[in-house]
Amino acid sequence: MFSFQRFKRSFVDAWRGIAYIYRKEQNFRIQLVLSFFILIAIILLPLRPWETVVLILLAVMVLTMEILNTALENFSDMFKPRVHPYVGVVKDLMAGAVLITALGALIIGLIILLPHFISLLK
């Protein structure tokens, strides 16, 4: 059965998590600022609907990967007294996943946005 209180609590918990990562992770703040610039570009440039959707998905994907990376790092840090060699490997793998996601988003974003910026300069 649907419980509005439980539903409301899940949103409160989610916002607390977002506030935590915003306070603790510089990379998340940088990615959030870049996402804001993407949002401004979406509003100001005459983008096709599919371009807008792709840009929003890319921004969300990068932010989500950073949240997952932070969650896994924090979880891994709980094992610090008995550090297993794979803990560092897992952290490096997640950092690599965020890097690949961010670089892919940058490349695709440039492919979409550069022609629009170039046409503004003409």
Side-chain angles (χ1 to χ4, degrees), residues 48-64:
R48 293 179 212 112
W50 71 266
E51 292 173 321
T52 299
V53 169
V54 168
L55 291 172
I56 291 170
L57 284 173
L58 290 170
V60 168
M61 191 169 56
V62 170
L63 293 171
T64 301

Side-chain angles (χ1 to χ4, degrees), residues 3 6 14-15 21 23 28-29 35 51 53 56-57 59 65 75 77 86-87 102 106 109 120:
S3 166
R6 191 177 302 173
W15 279 112
I21 194 167
R23 281 190 320 273
F28 185 82
R29 290 190 299 273
S35 296
E51 292 173 321
V53 169
I56 291 170
L57 284 173
M65 285 300 292
F75 183 75
D77 287 344
Y86 286 144
V87 170
L106 175 66
L120 287 176

